[in-house]
Amino acid sequence: QEISDTKFGKGLLNFTAKDSSFSVKFAPRFQFRSFTTWNHDGEEYMDPEQNFLIRRARLKFDGFALTPKLVYKIELGLSNNDISGANQFTSNSPRYILDAVLKWHFHKNFELWAGQTKLPGNVERVISSASLQLIDRSIVNSRFNLDRDIGLQLHHKFKLGKKFVIKEKLAFSQGEGRNITSGSQGGMEYTGRIELLPFGEFLEKGDYFQADLEREPSPKLMLGAVYDINNDAVRTRSNLGSFMLLEDGTLYETDIQTFFLDAVFKYRGLSVMAEYAYRDAEDPIARIQGENQPAEYRVLEGQGINFQTAYLFKSNYEIAARYSRNDYSDIIEVDDVEQYTLGGSKYIVGHKLKIQADINYSKQAGIEDFISFRTGFEFHF
Amino acid sequence: QEISDTKFGKGLLNFTAKDSSFSVKFAPRFQFRSFTTWNHDGEEYMDPEQNFLIRRARLKFDGFALTPKLVYKIELGLSNNDISGANQFTSNSPRYILDAVLKWHFHKNFELWAGQTKLPGNVERVISSASLQLIDRSIVNSRFNLDRDIGLQLHHKFKLGKKFVIKEKLAFSQGEGRNITSGSQGGMEYTGRIELLPFGEFLEKGDYFQADLEREPSPKLMLGAVYDINNDAVRTRSNLGSFMLLEDGTLYETDIQTFFLDAVFKYRGLSVMAEYAYRDAEDPIARIQGENQPAEYRVLEGQGINFQTAYLFKSNYEIAARYSRNDYSDIIEVDDVEQYTLGGSKYIVGHKLKIQADINYSKQAGIEDFISFRTGFEFHF
Amino acid sequence: QEISDTKFGKGLLNFTAKDSSFSVKFAPRFQFRSFTTWNHDGEEYMDPEQNFLIRRARLKFDGFALTPKLVYKIELGLSNNDISGANQFTSNSPRYILDAVLKWHFHKNFELWAGQTKLPGNVERVISSASLQLIDRSIVNSRFNLDRDIGLQLHHKFKLGKKFVIKEKLAFSQGEGRNITSGSQGGMEYTGRIELLPFGEFLEKGDYFQADLEREPSPKLMLGAVYDINNDAVRTRSNLGSFMLLEDGTLYETDIQTFFLDAVFKYRGLSVMAEYAYRDAEDPIARIQGENQPAEYRVLEGQGINFQTAYLFKSNYEIAARYSRNDYSDIIEVDDVEQYTLGGSKYIVGHKLKIQADINYSKQAGIEDFISFRTGFEFHF
C-alpha cells in the first residue's frame, strides 16, 4: 500500500504499515464562515453586520497501533475559536488538544478508553462538527451539552435477536472539561448513555453523522438516553461554562445533573433528529455560603428541545429545517430563547467538501432578537 | 508516484493521490537569527547586546483538492513571534493560523479566493518571509503594509499583445487583520491591486521571491499599484497595529486609506525592488468625540520609500543593499526613521537552505539610533 | 523505500528521499496520567484527590537535510503543560516550540549546533521525557536542571585507547530559557559538560534513555560533570523559574552558577543513575539595590542528590526505586524536601508504548507531606 492510495476525503495520509504494526489517517480540515446578522433593537431590525470567520481548523490523527484492537485518536485545534478558553485552570494556556485518547478493545464487544475525548452525551454533540447538515449545532446543544473531559470510558454493545443492537457507554471523568492542568476541582463526573437500535446498525455509522448520505434502503432508528452527575461541579454548565470563582477566592461547588433523550432516524435520504435536554443543580445560585449576597454565578438550569429534519436529493443537494427552544428555570433569571432555522447544503464530496447556507430567526423572551444568514464551506481531507 | 520522490526544498511530503483526487506539499520551516545591536545614547554607541531568536517557524500545506482548479493553502505559525497578538478580539488566544484559504479557478483567467490570507498589498509583503534577500523586510513594509485578512478575493489576468501581462486583484475583507473571532469592528476593507508585466511573466514566479535565482535571460519587470480603503478602521495601521480602544470602552473609528506603488526588476542575477507607500486617515487623532482630550492613539499616517538592489553571483553568493525611509505626517508627532542596510546571502538550496547576514545603520529624527549586525539561516523543506 | 516501511515506535513517517537529499522521522506522542494523592495535614493523611492529565503531547520531526552531516530537529509541544509559561518575555504567547535546531557535523568528531534545544546539563534532564523508567523526573531535576535555551553548542568526542570515549559539550546561550522574544535580559549563559565512558559507548545510545532495554552484555558506565555560569541571570532558577521583576519595574540580575555530577551504569538489565546538583548565586536575595526591603524573589540556591536503580526482567517488566533529596541554602528560607519512589513499568514496545505506575512518599522540612500513586501510559510513534 502506498501513501498516495488515499483519495480526497479519506485523509491526507491514509496507510497501514507494511508489517501491519500500525495504521494512520491524518486529516487537516477547516471551516470558512460568512455571517450576515440583522439585530432587532426592540422596534425594528437594524442594518446588517457582516462577519467572516475561520470557525474551526483542525489536525486529526487516528488509526490503530500494534494491533487493530488498540485504536488511537489525536485531534488538535488550530482556530482561535477552537483553542480559546485559557484560564488559571489550564495553566493560562490555549486549549490546543481536543482528543488524545487510546481505545482498547480488550474483550469481545468491550472497549476501554483512557484519555481526553468527548463524553457519551447527547448525539448532536458527539457528531463531529464536520458532519453537520446546518452551519452549526443548535442552541440546545450549545447550552446543555456535555463536552470533552478527561478520564476513563467503558463501551459495550450486544445484539438482542437478529437485528436489535444495544450499546452502553459509561464514563468516569474529572468533571471540569478539557485541558485542565490544575487537577480535579470539586468532585468527579459520572456519565452513562444507552442506545437502542431496533432496526440494526446504520450504514457507515450513519447515526453519528447528519444527512442521510448513505440513503438507507431500510429505516434506521437510534434512541438514546443519557444521565450525567457532576459531583461538586464548579462550572456553570457542569463541565463547561464559567468557573464559579467567588469573591473570597473559593470555587463554588454544587452537584449538577444532566439528562438527555435523543433520537436519530434515517431512511432513503430523509433524516430526523430529536433531542430533549434537562439540567438541574442542587443549588444553582453561586454565592458565599451563609451570607445573603446576590448571586455571583448561576448554574444554567432548565430544559431544551431540538427537532430537525432534512431531505437529501439524489443530486446531493439537501434542504433542512430545525426548531430549537431553551426554557431556563425561573430561579436563575435567564431569558428563554427560541430559534427557527432553514438551511441548504450541497455535498460535493460528502461532508468533506460541502457548501452550506442557512437562515435563522431567533427570539428571546418571546420577542424578536435577530435574523442571521450564514454561509460557508467545509474543507476536510 | 511515491512519497519519497520529493527532494529537499520541495516539501517534506509532495505527492499527488493515485486517483488524482488531490495533491499536497507539506513543508515545515524555521528561521534562526542572531542579532548584535549597538544602541546610540545620543552621544556614542554603547556596548553591544547579543540576542538569539527563532524568528519564524511554520507548517505549510498546499496543493489541489478534487480538481486542479481548486487550490488550498493552510499555513500555521509556531514561533512566539508568529503567534503573538492575542487580545479580546481574538478570544484572547494566540494567532496560530496564518493562511486558511481556498482558491477556485472558476473560469478562464479568473480565480475566486475565500478564507484568510494575505491581501494583495505591496509586493514586499506578499513575498514570503522565506524568500527574502536580507534578514528581514524593510521598515517601510513594517509600518505601512496591509497584512493578512479574512474575506474574499477575485484575481484576474490577461495578455495585451504577445507578452504584456496585466493582473488585477480585488479583495473584500473584514478589515481587522487575521484571526479575529469577535466579528467585524467598524466597517469593511476594500483592496485593489493592478500589476503590469510589460516583458511577460518572470521565470518561476520570480516577481514574488527576492534574488534573481533564475538568472532571468531577458529583462523582466513588474509594476504594481495598490489602493486600499478601510472604512471605519479601528486599528492604528489600518488592519494592523493597536486597537484604538478609548477610555470610555468604545473603539475609535476612522477611514484609513493606503496607497502603494512598487516595482520589481530582474535580469541576469541583478534584482531591483522599489516601493512607495502612503497612508492617511480621515482623522488620525483617536480620542473620545466632542471632548478636547489628548490623543489616546494616533493612526500612523505618512509615507515611506524603499529601494533595494542585489546581485547574485554564479556561486549563489549574493550581495544586497537597501535604503528605506519613513516620513510620518507632522500631526501624529512620530519621529521619522531612515535605514541603510548592506547584506550578503549564500543560497545553498535556493531560499530553502541559506545563510544570511546584514548590517543596518539606523537613524531616527535625523540622528544616530542604532547599528545592528544580523545573521541567521532559513531551513525550509 | 516506501513510507509504509516504518513500524510502530519508529515514527509515523520514516523515510529517506529517493535522491537521498533528506530523511525524516515524524512522530506524534502523548502521555496520559492518573494521580491519586493523599496530602498530610500535619496530623494525618487526608482523603485522596483524584486527577487525570495529558501530561505531555508532542510532535517531533528529525532527520538530515541535504547531507547526513546536517541534522535537524523540530519538536513542538501540544499539551497545556508543555506550552505554559507565557509572559511578557515570550510576547505573552504560549511556548509551542521545544526544539528548533540544526546540527552540523562540520569536521571529524565535531558538531556545531545552532538554534533552540536542551543545554548539555544533567543527564536526567537531557534524557527524553518519553524515555523515563518512572512516571516523571526527580525533584532534584525539577529544581536544579538547566533547561532548553537558544544559542550555539559545540560538541566533540574522541577515543582514549581502544574503548574509553570522552565527549565534550559547550554551549553559549541567551540564558533566559526557551521561546524568549524580547532578546537577552541580563547577560549570557555558558555551559560545559564532559562525559567519560571508560567501557565504551552504550548500545543504541543507552546512556540517554532509562531502563536497560538493550540488556548490555558488558558493563557500561557514563560519568558526567557540568559547569554552568549564567551571567546577570534574571530568573530564580538560572534560565528557569520566575523572572525576578522588582517593584520598580527593573529585572534583578545576579550571576548564578550550577554544577552537576552524574553517572549512568547499565548491565544485563540493571540500570543505575546517580546525580549531584549544586547551585549558588552571587546574591540570591532579589530586592531593589541599596534599600533594605524584604526579598521580592530568592534564587533557589542549594544542592540535591538523586539516586535511582532498576532491574528489567526478560518479560520487559521493570521495577525501579529512587531516592531524591533537595537541601536549599539557609539564607533563602525554603523547606528542604525528600522523596522516596517505588515504581514498575511494562515496556510493551520499549519506551514507545508502555504502562507505568509508581508510589511516592514525600517529606518537607523533615515531616510527612504527601503520598501519591501515579499511573499512566506513553503512546509514541
Side-chain angles (χ1 to χ4, degrees):
Chain A
Q1 189 190 26
E2 278 181 39
I3 187 181
S4 57
D5 274 351
T6 184
K7 60 187 222 176
F8 182 72
K10 302 289 183 192
L12 192 152
L13 298 177
N14 191 339
F15 66 91
T16 301
K18 257 190 186 168
D19 69 350
S20 296
S21 65
F22 74 87
S23 76
V24 62
K25 187 171 85 168
F26 165 66
R29 55 171 279 223
F30 72 95
Q31 282 182 343
F32 174 71
R33 295 290 181 250
S34 167
F35 300 144
T36 312
T37 310
W38 294 261
N39 285 301
H40 197 274
D41 66 2
E43 304 219 329
E44 53 173 0
Y45 286 99
M46 297 185 288
D47 286 340
E49 285 173 23
Q50 173 59 42
N51 299 321
F52 295 112
L53 185 66
I54 302 297
R55 175 65 180 85
R56 295 176 178 92
R58 310 268 171 94
L59 301 178
K60 296 207 263 190
F61 299 84
D62 62 71
F64 71 79
L66 205 57
T67 148
K69 296 192 173 189
L70 186 64
V71 168
Y72 65 90
K73 181 174 182 197
I74 302 171
E75 184 169 345
L76 307 173
L78 304 172
S79 80
N80 285 56
N81 282 73
D82 288 335
I83 64 179
S84 66
N87 60 37
Q88 64 189 98
F89 304 102
T90 67
S91 296
N92 292 309
S93 294
R95 304 190 308 156
Y96 198 58
I97 300 176
L98 294 161
D99 294 300
V101 64
L102 289 189
K103 304 175 182 181
W104 181 31
H105 193 129
F106 65 98
H107 186 69
K108 213 182 107 175
N109 291 340
F110 281 93
E111 281 183 18
L112 179 67
W113 297 14
Q116 177 176 289
T117 192
K118 288 176 184 173
L119 291 180
N122 60 317
V123 62
E124 190 186 5
R125 177 69 188 93
V126 182
I127 289 174
S128 165
S129 59
S131 304
L132 305 177
Q133 63 199 167
L134 291 161
I135 286 283
D136 220 326
R137 296 193 184 93
S138 72
I139 54 172
V140 172
N141 183 80
S142 84
R143 299 292 93 185
F144 292 108
N145 89 78
L146 304 173
D147 198 55
R148 287 176 169 92
D149 213 311
I150 186 163
L152 305 173
Q153 295 192 24
L154 184 67
H155 288 216
H156 175 252
K157 64 177 176 184
F158 66 99
K159 259 191 182 166
L160 216 68
K162 270 190 173 167
K163 275 196 159 180
F164 202 136
V165 177
I166 297 181
K167 301 181 182 179
E168 306 109 298
K169 303 173 182 183
L170 296 170
F172 168 56
S173 63
Q174 217 168 233
E176 283 83 43
R178 65 182 176 94
N179 300 69
I180 299 296
T181 53
S182 57
S184 179
Q185 311 295 320
M188 305 299 285
E189 180 168 5
Y190 304 84
T191 314
R193 177 176 170 88
I194 187 164
E195 291 176 359
L196 311 179
L197 294 106
F199 313 134
E201 298 270 12
F202 288 64
L203 292 177
E204 302 289 326
K205 301 183 182 174
D207 38 353
Y208 280 96
F209 60 80
Q210 295 186 350
D212 185 15
L213 294 169
E214 298 298 320
R215 308 192 70 79
E216 296 282 358
S218 69
K220 292 291 166 58
L221 177 66
M222 190 256 279
L223 295 170
V226 174
Y227 175 73
D228 178 271
I229 171 75
N230 198 342
N231 283 327
D232 292 332
V234 298
R235 303 182 70 168
T236 54
R237 294 188 276 122
S238 188
N239 64 1
L240 282 175
S242 302
F243 281 82
M244 297 183 284
L245 258 176
L246 300 180
E247 274 192 2
D248 65 0
T250 63
L251 271 168
Y252 179 77
E253 299 182 356
T254 189
D255 294 352
I256 300 180
Q257 296 184 79
T258 309
F259 180 71
F260 294 105
L261 284 178
D262 53 48
V264 173
F265 176 80
K266 288 186 172 184
Y267 182 47
R268 291 193 177 173
L270 176 73
S271 55
V272 178
M273 186 181 73
E275 293 180 297
Y276 169 75
Y278 174 82
R279 171 169 293 153
D280 74 1
E282 206 183 343
D283 184 353
I285 307 298
R287 58 185 156 206
I288 298 171
Q289 244 183 333
E291 305 196 23
N292 212 347
Q293 292 176 306
E296 296 186 44
Y297 296 92
R298 295 155 196 271
V299 175
L300 201 75
E301 281 192 344
Q303 52 190 342
I305 54 165
N306 182 48
F307 181 85
Q308 80 188 48
T309 185
Y311 184 73
L312 179 76
F313 294 93
K314 284 182 178 159
S315 55
N316 286 323
Y317 281 92
E318 189 187 54
I319 50 163
R322 177 166 71 194
Y323 172 73
S324 318
R325 171 178 188 90
N326 289 346
D327 294 299
Y328 302 111
S329 102
D330 293 345
I331 194 174
I332 63 167
E333 297 171 15
V334 176
D335 285 341
D336 296 346
V337 290
E338 202 179 0
Q339 199 167 76
Y340 298 82
T341 305
L342 191 67
S345 299
K346 166 63 180 170
Y347 300 99
I348 303 165
V349 184
H351 281 295
K352 306 306 185 185
L353 184 62
K354 62 183 173 186
I355 300 176
Q356 298 182 288
D358 65 26
I359 187 151
N360 296 273
Y361 168 71
S362 198
K363 294 172 83 172
Q364 191 168 358
I367 58 168
E368 281 81 358
D369 188 17
F370 66 84
I371 292 174
S372 69
F373 175 71
R374 311 184 298 182
T375 182
F377 62 77
E378 171 85 27
F379 179 77
H380 191 318
F381 273 96
Chain B
Q1 190 189 25
E2 278 180 41
I3 186 181
S4 57
D5 274 352
T6 184
K7 61 187 221 175
F8 182 73
K10 301 290 184 190
L12 192 152
L13 297 177
N14 192 337
F15 66 90
T16 301
K18 257 189 185 168
D19 70 349
S20 296
S21 66
F22 74 87
S23 76
V24 62
K25 186 170 86 168
F26 166 66
R29 57 172 277 223
F30 72 95
Q31 283 183 342
F32 174 71
R33 295 290 182 249
S34 167
F35 300 145
T36 311
T37 309
W38 293 262
N39 284 301
H40 197 274
D41 66 3
E43 303 220 327
E44 53 173 1
Y45 286 99
M46 297 185 289
D47 286 340
E49 284 173 23
Q50 173 59 42
N51 299 322
F52 295 112
L53 185 66
I54 302 296
R55 175 65 180 84
R56 295 177 179 92
R58 311 267 172 95
L59 300 178
K60 297 207 261 191
F61 300 85
D62 62 71
F64 71 78
L66 205 59
T67 148
K69 296 193 173 189
L70 186 64
V71 168
Y72 65 90
K73 181 175 182 195
I74 302 172
E75 184 168 345
L76 307 173
L78 304 172
S79 81
N80 285 56
N81 281 75
D82 288 336
I83 64 180
S84 66
N87 59 37
Q88 64 190 99
F89 303 103
T90 68
S91 296
N92 292 308
S93 295
R95 304 189 306 158
Y96 200 57
I97 300 176
L98 294 161
D99 294 300
V101 63
L102 289 189
K103 305 175 181 182
W104 180 32
H105 194 129
F106 64 98
H107 186 71
K108 213 181 105 175
N109 291 339
F110 281 93
E111 280 182 19
L112 179 67
W113 297 14
Q116 177 175 291
T117 194
K118 288 175 184 174
L119 291 180
N122 60 316
V123 61
E124 189 186 7
R125 177 67 188 96
V126 181
I127 288 174
S128 167
S129 58
S131 303
L132 305 177
Q133 63 199 167
L134 292 161
I135 286 283
D136 221 325
R137 297 191 183 93
S138 72
I139 54 172
V140 172
N141 183 79
S142 84
R143 299 291 93 185
F144 292 108
N145 90 77
L146 303 173
D147 197 55
R148 287 176 169 90
D149 213 312
I150 186 163
L152 305 173
Q153 296 192 23
L154 184 67
H155 288 215
H156 175 251
K157 64 179 176 183
F158 64 97
K159 258 190 180 165
L160 216 67
K162 270 192 175 166
K163 276 196 158 179
F164 202 134
V165 176
I166 297 181
K167 301 182 182 179
E168 306 110 298
K169 304 174 181 181
L170 297 171
F172 167 57
S173 63
Q174 217 168 233
E176 282 84 42
R178 66 182 175 94
N179 300 70
I180 299 296
T181 53
S182 57
S184 180
Q185 310 296 321
M188 304 300 284
E189 180 168 4
Y190 304 84
T191 314
R193 176 175 171 90
I194 186 163
E195 291 176 1
L196 311 180
L197 294 106
F199 313 133
E201 298 271 11
F202 288 65
L203 292 178
E204 302 290 328
K205 301 183 183 174
D207 38 353
Y208 279 96
F209 59 82
Q210 294 185 351
D212 185 16
L213 294 169
E214 297 297 320
R215 309 192 70 79
E216 295 281 357
S218 68
K220 291 290 166 58
L221 177 67
M222 191 256 281
L223 296 170
V226 174
Y227 175 74
D228 179 89
I229 170 78
N230 197 343
N231 283 328
D232 291 332
V234 298
R235 304 183 69 168
T236 53
R237 295 188 276 121
S238 187
N239 64 2
L240 282 174
S242 303
F243 280 83
M244 297 184 285
L245 257 176
L246 300 180
E247 275 190 2
D248 65 0
T250 63
L251 272 168
Y252 179 76
E253 299 181 357
T254 188
D255 294 352
I256 300 181
Q257 297 183 79
T258 308
F259 179 71
F260 294 105
L261 285 178
D262 53 48
V264 173
F265 175 80
K266 287 186 172 183
Y267 182 47
R268 292 191 176 174
L270 176 74
S271 56
V272 179
M273 187 182 72
E275 293 180 296
Y276 169 76
Y278 175 83
R279 172 169 292 152
D280 74 2
E282 205 183 344
D283 183 353
I285 307 299
R287 57 185 156 206
I288 297 171
Q289 242 183 335
E291 306 196 22
N292 212 347
Q293 292 177 305
E296 296 186 45
Y297 295 92
R298 294 155 197 271
V299 174
L300 202 75
E301 280 191 345
Q303 53 191 341
I305 55 165
N306 182 49
F307 181 85
Q308 80 187 50
T309 184
Y311 184 73
L312 179 76
F313 295 94
K314 283 181 181 161
S315 54
N316 284 324
Y317 281 92
E318 188 187 55
I319 51 164
R322 177 167 70 194
Y323 172 74
S324 318
R325 173 179 188 90
N326 289 347
D327 294 300
Y328 301 111
S329 103
D330 293 345
I331 193 175
I332 63 165
E333 298 170 16
V334 175
D335 285 341
D336 295 345
V337 289
E338 201 178 3
Q339 198 166 75
Y340 299 81
T341 305
L342 191 67
S345 299
K346 165 64 179 170
Y347 300 99
I348 303 166
V349 184
H351 282 295
K352 306 306 185 185
L353 184 62
K354 62 183 173 185
I355 301 176
Q356 298 182 289
D358 64 28
I359 188 152
N360 297 272
Y361 169 70
S362 198
K363 293 172 84 173
Q364 191 167 358
I367 58 169
E368 280 80 357
D369 188 18
F370 65 84
I371 291 174
S372 70
F373 174 71
R374 313 185 295 183
T375 182
F377 61 78
E378 170 85 27
F379 179 76
H380 190 319
F381 273 95
Chain C
Q1 189 190 25
E2 277 181 40
I3 186 182
S4 57
D5 274 351
T6 185
K7 61 188 221 175
F8 182 72
K10 302 289 184 191
L12 193 152
L13 298 177
N14 190 339
F15 65 90
T16 301
K18 256 190 185 168
D19 70 349
S20 297
S21 66
F22 73 87
S23 76
V24 64
K25 186 170 85 169
F26 165 66
R29 56 171 278 223
F30 72 95
Q31 282 182 343
F32 174 71
R33 295 290 181 250
S34 166
F35 301 143
T36 312
T37 309
W38 293 262
N39 285 302
H40 197 274
D41 66 2
E43 304 220 327
E44 52 172 2
Y45 286 99
M46 298 184 287
D47 286 340
E49 285 173 24
Q50 173 59 43
N51 299 321
F52 295 113
L53 186 66
I54 302 296
R55 175 65 182 85
R56 295 175 179 94
R58 310 267 172 93
L59 301 178
K60 296 208 264 190
F61 299 84
D62 62 72
F64 71 78
L66 205 58
T67 147
K69 296 193 172 189
L70 186 65
V71 168
Y72 64 91
K73 181 174 181 198
I74 302 171
E75 183 169 344
L76 307 173
L78 304 172
S79 82
N80 285 56
N81 281 74
D82 288 335
I83 64 179
S84 66
N87 60 38
Q88 64 189 100
F89 304 101
T90 67
S91 296
N92 292 308
S93 293
R95 304 188 308 157
Y96 274 118
I97 299 178
L98 295 161
D99 294 299
V101 63
L102 288 189
K103 303 174 182 182
W104 180 32
H105 193 131
F106 65 97
H107 185 71
K108 214 182 105 173
N109 292 338
F110 281 94
E111 280 182 19
L112 179 67
W113 297 14
Q116 177 176 292
T117 192
K118 289 176 183 173
L119 291 180
N122 60 316
V123 62
E124 190 186 5
R125 177 69 188 94
V126 181
I127 289 175
S128 166
S129 59
S131 303
L132 305 177
Q133 62 198 168
L134 291 161
I135 286 283
D136 221 326
R137 297 192 183 93
S138 72
I139 54 172
V140 173
N141 183 79
S142 84
R143 298 292 93 185
F144 292 108
N145 90 77
L146 303 173
D147 198 56
R148 289 176 167 91
D149 213 312
I150 187 164
L152 305 173
Q153 296 192 24
L154 184 68
H155 288 215
H156 175 251
K157 64 178 175 182
F158 66 97
K159 260 192 180 163
L160 215 69
K162 270 193 176 166
K163 277 196 158 181
F164 203 135
V165 176
I166 297 180
K167 301 182 182 178
E168 306 110 298
K169 303 173 181 183
L170 297 170
F172 169 56
S173 63
Q174 219 168 232
E176 283 84 41
R178 65 183 176 93
N179 300 69
I180 299 296
T181 52
S182 57
S184 180
Q185 311 295 320
M188 304 300 284
E189 180 168 4
Y190 304 84
T191 313
R193 177 177 170 88
I194 185 162
E195 291 176 359
L196 311 179
L197 294 106
F199 312 134
E201 298 270 11
F202 288 63
L203 292 177
E204 302 290 327
K205 301 183 183 174
D207 39 352
Y208 280 97
F209 59 82
Q210 295 186 350
D212 185 15
L213 294 170
E214 298 297 320
R215 310 190 69 79
E216 295 281 357
S218 68
K220 293 290 166 60
L221 177 66
M222 191 256 280
L223 295 170
V226 174
Y227 174 74
D228 178 271
I229 170 76
N230 198 343
N231 283 328
D232 291 333
V234 297
R235 304 183 70 168
T236 54
R237 294 189 277 122
S238 188
N239 64 3
L240 282 174
S242 302
F243 281 83
M244 298 184 284
L245 257 176
L246 301 179
E247 274 192 1
D248 65 0
T250 63
L251 272 167
Y252 179 76
E253 299 182 357
T254 189
D255 293 352
I256 300 181
Q257 296 183 77
T258 308
F259 179 71
F260 294 105
L261 284 178
D262 53 49
V264 172
F265 176 80
K266 287 187 173 183
Y267 182 46
R268 291 192 177 172
L270 176 74
S271 54
V272 179
M273 187 181 73
E275 294 180 296
Y276 168 76
Y278 174 83
R279 172 168 292 154
D280 74 1
E282 205 182 346
D283 183 353
I285 307 300
R287 57 186 156 207
I288 298 170
Q289 244 182 334
E291 305 196 23
N292 212 348
Q293 292 178 305
E296 296 186 44
Y297 295 92
R298 293 155 198 270
V299 174
L300 202 75
E301 280 191 345
Q303 52 191 341
I305 55 164
N306 181 47
F307 181 84
Q308 80 188 50
T309 184
Y311 184 72
L312 179 76
F313 295 93
K314 282 180 181 162
S315 55
N316 285 325
Y317 281 92
E318 189 187 54
I319 51 162
R322 176 166 71 193
Y323 172 73
S324 318
R325 172 179 186 89
N326 290 345
D327 294 299
Y328 302 112
S329 102
D330 293 344
I331 193 175
I332 63 166
E333 297 171 16
V334 175
D335 285 340
D336 295 345
V337 289
E338 203 178 0
Q339 199 167 75
Y340 298 82
T341 305
L342 191 66
S345 299
K346 165 64 180 172
Y347 300 99
I348 303 165
V349 184
H351 282 295
K352 306 306 186 185
L353 184 62
K354 61 183 174 187
I355 301 176
Q356 299 181 289
D358 65 27
I359 187 150
N360 297 273
Y361 169 70
S362 198
K363 294 172 82 174
Q364 192 168 356
I367 58 167
E368 280 79 359
D369 189 17
F370 65 84
I371 292 174
S372 70
F373 174 71
R374 312 185 296 183
T375 183
F377 61 78
E378 171 84 28
F379 179 77
H380 191 318
F381 274 94

